[in-house]
Amino acid sequence: PYYIAVFFSSFMQLGLFIHFQRWITFNSEGARFFWLSLLLQFAMFSPSIIMMHVASYFAGRYPKGKVMGWTSIGMAISVLLIAFFFGDRLDFGAFALLFLYGVFLSIFNPAKIGIMKEITSGNDLVKINAKHLSFMALGITTISIITFNYSPNDNSIISYTLLPFILSGIGLITAIS
């Protein structure tokens, strides 16, 4: 179950990033493109810095499996809301929800890393870390292949409006695992 959570969480994170970046690419240019790309980076990655102490508190205070489960549910709900916001053309509301997703992800990651020590009882950390990184890379590679020709046009493998809903379902799978 741990490796399933690792695979799907990295799949979901990069899938969201690709979805937003492609939206920015097809809907803006020049300075607007630059600022929206910067906003995307800020919304996805700044919560990991801002929430560092809070995330460490949750990962250290509560059972890591529960922290991973509840934050996965939070990520899935925020992605589901993002999907609805994109469907209703409330794109900047989706950016705000992306920041919320980043907050949940920033709490999820320390628990995901911390549980490795509990799984191995402190032994073979190198081996479990290698498997962890392999499943992360596999999740990233899979979503990259699936979204290779991803665009709002009809020639995409996955429907442009469907991907956020798929990612939300993947968030629920992550929570269950």
Side-chain angles (χ1 to χ4, degrees):
Y2 172 73
Y3 294 116
I4 293 169
V6 170
F7 174 84
F8 282 129
S9 66
S10 61
F11 183 95
M12 185 169 51
Q13 180 182 7
L14 187 63
L16 268 177
F17 185 82
I18 290 171
H19 181 75
F20 273 86
Q21 190 61 53
R22 296 303 287 173
W23 175 81
I24 292 168
T25 301
F26 283 100
N27 290 299
S28 58
E29 56 187 39
R32 185 170 192 266
F33 175 83
F34 172 78
W35 288 110
L36 287 176
S37 295
L38 187 66
L39 180 63
L40 172 63
Q41 299 286 334
F42 179 80
M44 290 238 10
F45 303 116
S46 66
S48 294
I49 298 167
I50 296 167
M51 299 285 295
M52 190 178 300
H53 296 293
V54 175
S56 297
Y57 171 77
F58 280 112
R61 175 89 165 94
Y62 299 104
K64 289 161 189 54
K66 286 186 179 183
V67 172
M68 288 176 64
W70 283 108
T71 54
S72 294
I73 291 170
M75 288 188 292
I77 291 170
S78 59
V79 172
L80 184 62
L81 291 172
I82 287 169
F84 284 120
F85 271 59
F86 259 106
D88 289 337
R89 291 297 196 214
L90 302 170
D91 306 323
F92 286 98
F95 268 98
L97 288 166
L98 186 62
F99 186 81
L100 179 64
Y101 168 83
V103 168
F104 285 118
L105 183 66
S106 70
I107 297 171
F108 176 86
N109 282 332
K112 179 178 70 172
I113 300 297
I115 204 167
M116 289 193 305
K117 186 176 179 183
E118 293 177 7
I119 291 172
T120 63
S121 302
N123 302 323
D124 291 332
L125 284 174
V126 172
K127 194 180 296 183
I128 195 169
N129 190 40
K131 288 180 183 177
H132 169 91
L133 292 175
S134 296
F135 275 88
M136 275 184 70
L138 189 60
I140 290 168
T141 303
T142 304
I143 190 66
S144 297
I145 291 169
I146 290 172
T147 59
F148 178 69
N149 196 21
Y150 188 62
S151 73
N153 305 331
D154 291 334
N155 60 351
S156 293
I157 295 171
I158 294 179
S159 168
Y160 189 74
T161 55
L162 186 62
L163 182 64
F165 290 103
I166 292 170
L167 295 174
S168 180
I170 286 172
L172 291 176
I173 293 170
T174 304
I176 291 168
S177 67

